[in-house]
């Protein structure tokens, strides 16, 4: 029982390694062709026989248009459902396999701007292979689509420009309004400061004038008070003298 499980596991691991190595080799022989309108595709060693267990991939990419695949020469090993040597054409989820001998002429026309060609051979019989011509075409729909896309881009740029200009105008108006308000506030504060300074100056002037009057009037008041005190003292002394000189009144 253990031996059977070991054999089955070993076969599964071996199959996985074979498939993995096959995919790695296929990825290494992949060729990506972009933005080219006329491409020649040949099997390895063409016009000699292609090698056994060979895989070659051509990937065609463009931003628009379609691809047309035409046959110049086509000689592959014929098999049921093209299980041995074959040329496979892939586009999205569509896949077409071709094998055997085919006459020259049109082979396939894509519906979109990307297709993939894959050549694969097994280890049995080899042939001359094939020589294909792949052309890129631009359709009327693509031209209209390109024009519409350009017009949309222009319209979008114009809208963006209008929006940006509107925002700039709004921001300029807002900044102008803020600047005017700030200027008015600063002016109001300066007026308040000017008023306070003037009031303080007036108070200082009044206080200084009052102090000057007090300083000048004090000696005069002192002199007047002295004179008044002297006159009072003189009158008091005279009154005392008169009182002393007064004859006493006799009563009978």
């Amino acid at each position: 029982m253990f031996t059977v499980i070991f054999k089955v596991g070993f076969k599964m691991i071996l199959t996985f390694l074979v498939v993995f190595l096959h995919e790695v080799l296929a990825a290494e022989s992949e060729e990506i062709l972009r933005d080219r309108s006329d491409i020649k595709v040949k099997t390895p060693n063409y016009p000699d026989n292609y090698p056994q267990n060979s895989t070659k991939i051509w990937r065609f990419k463009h931003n628009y248009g379609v691809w047309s695949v035409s046959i110049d020469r086509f000689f592959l090993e014929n098999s049921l459902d093209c299980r041995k040597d074959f040329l496979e054409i892939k586009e999205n989820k569509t896949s077409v396999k071709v094998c055997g001998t085919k006459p020259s002429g049109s082979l396939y026309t894509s519906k979109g701007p990307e297709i993939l060609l894959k050549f694969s051979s097994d280890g049995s019989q080899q042939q001359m292979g094939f020589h294909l011509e792949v052309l890129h075409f631009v359709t009327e729909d693509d031209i209209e689509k390109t024009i519409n896309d350009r017009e949309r881009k222009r319209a979008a740029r114009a809208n963006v420009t209008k929006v940006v200009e509107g925002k700039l105008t709004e921001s300029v108006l807002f900044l102008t309004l803020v600047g005017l308000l700030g200027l008015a506030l600063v002016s109001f504060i300066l007026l308040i400061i000017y008023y306070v300074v003037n009031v303080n100056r007036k108070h200082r002037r009044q206080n200084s004038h009052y102090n000057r009057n007090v300083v000048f009037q004090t000696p005069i008041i002192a002199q007047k008070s002295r004179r008044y005190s002297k006159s009072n003292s003189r009158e008091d002394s005279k009154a005392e003298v008169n009182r002393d000189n007064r004859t006493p009144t006799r009563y009978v």
Side-chain angles (χ1 to χ4, degrees), residues 145-155:
K145 184 179 179 181
T146 303
I147 294 172
N148 293 330
D149 290 339
R150 289 180 180 177
E151 291 179 353
R152 289 176 183 174
K153 288 180 180 179
R154 289 177 182 175

Side-chain angles (χ1 to χ4, degrees), residues 183-243:
L183 182 62
L185 181 61
V186 171
S187 301
F188 180 72
I189 293 171
L190 291 175
L191 287 173
I192 293 174
I193 294 171
Y194 179 75
Y195 176 76
V196 172
V197 170
N198 287 332
V199 170
N200 290 330
R201 286 181 180 177
K202 288 181 181 179
H203 284 295
R204 289 178 183 176
R205 288 177 182 177
Q206 291 177 357
N207 292 329
S208 63
H209 183 68
Y210 176 77
N211 293 329
R212 287 178 183 176
N213 292 332
V214 169
V215 170
F216 288 116
Q217 289 178 3
T218 300
I220 298 170
I221 294 170
Q223 291 178 1
K224 289 182 178 180
S225 61
R226 288 175 183 175
R227 291 177 182 176
Y228 179 77
S229 62
K230 286 181 179 181
S231 62
N232 288 334
S233 62
R234 288 177 182 178
E235 290 178 357
D236 291 337
S237 61
K238 287 180 179 181
E240 289 178 356
V241 170
N242 292 331
R243 192 180 303 121

Side-chain angles (χ1 to χ4, degrees), residues 12 40 75 101 109 111 115 150 201 218 235:
M12 291 177 65
K40 306 295 182 181
F75 298 97
T101 303
T109 301
K111 297 179 181 179
I115 60 170
R150 289 180 180 177
R201 286 181 180 177
T218 300
E235 290 178 357

